[in-house]
Amino acid sequence: MKVVCDADGLIKMNKAGALETFAQQAELIIGPEVWREAVTEGKAHGYPDAFSIQAVALQYLQQNRPQPHSQATLILQGIHLGAGETEALTLYFCEGADAILSDDRGFLNVLQRHRLPYLTPAAAVVALCQGGIWTLEQATYALLNLRPSIRADPYQAALTSLNTLERK
């Protein structure tokens, strides 16, 4: 599976302790703006997770510079997204990706409105469990690590999904 990530998605997957495992299972792609937001700015502000994101990114992630894409341009008309989200959307089309990883509410609304596939970090954690990569306990622990950083609705949806898996 080919997944384009924005900085919010990377940071939250790292907080969950899931970034490296997810990167081993999927082809993750970022652009230079997302690198700047997640790694360069993070390190400049002294965020320790920026260093671990950098280590995973250097080992597993593809870093590509997007070219202008007509579909992205059409979607972006009249919409204000951050530079990283704009880059992720453009890379999604340029790379022919399967989904976008994000937890940016405004960006997710745009993706949903245009019926573009996306994963939130909570959904990616559930997918690791559903795919047999992680145990239910590992996924639950990761979700608990995410809880302070995500909205209640994706947290509850992921928890419900994990509880359903537990009953099987």
Side-chain angles (χ1 to χ4, degrees), residues 129-143:
C129 186
Q130 288 172 326
I133 308 303
W134 271 3
T135 65
L136 188 60
E137 291 77 21
Q138 288 172 302
T140 301
Y141 182 74
L143 194 57

Side-chain angles (χ1 to χ4, degrees), residues 123 125-134 161-162 165:
V125 165
V126 171
L128 288 172
C129 186
Q130 288 172 326
I133 308 303
W134 271 3
S161 294
L162 291 179
L165 289 173

Side-chain angles (χ1 to χ4, degrees), residues 3-134:
V3 180
V4 173
C5 307
D6 73 2
D8 199 36
L10 285 179
I11 291 165
K12 289 180 181 170
M13 286 297 284
N14 190 64
K15 285 186 185 304
L19 182 58
E20 184 169 9
T21 302
F22 192 60
Q24 291 168 346
Q25 303 303 315
E27 182 182 343
L28 302 185
I29 304 166
I30 63 170
E33 182 60 29
V34 169
W35 175 269
R36 186 187 66 73
E37 290 176 11
V39 176
T40 308
E41 285 183 10
K43 287 167 58 176
H45 288 96
Y47 299 134
D49 58 341
F51 294 92
S52 54
I53 292 169
Q54 178 181 24
V56 171
L58 290 174
Q59 185 169 3
Y60 297 106
L61 276 60
Q62 290 182 34
Q63 295 181 47
N64 297 344
R65 184 174 299 280
Q67 299 302 312
H69 195 282
S70 60
Q71 285 178 278
T73 302
L74 281 173
I75 290 170
L76 292 167
Q77 284 180 344
I79 295 174
H80 177 71
L81 291 175
E85 289 75 26
T86 298
E87 178 182 78
L89 181 66
T90 305
L91 268 175
Y92 167 80
F93 287 112
C94 290
E95 297 291 332
D98 299 301
I100 296 173
L101 175 71
S102 179
D103 199 45
D104 180 283
R105 178 179 250 160
F107 189 30
L108 295 177
N109 287 336
V110 170
L111 298 175
Q112 193 169 32
R113 193 167 41 250
H114 291 277
R115 296 189 172 111
L116 297 174
Y118 64 86
L119 286 167
T120 63
V125 165
V126 171
L128 288 172
C129 186
Q130 288 172 326
I133 308 303
W134 271 3

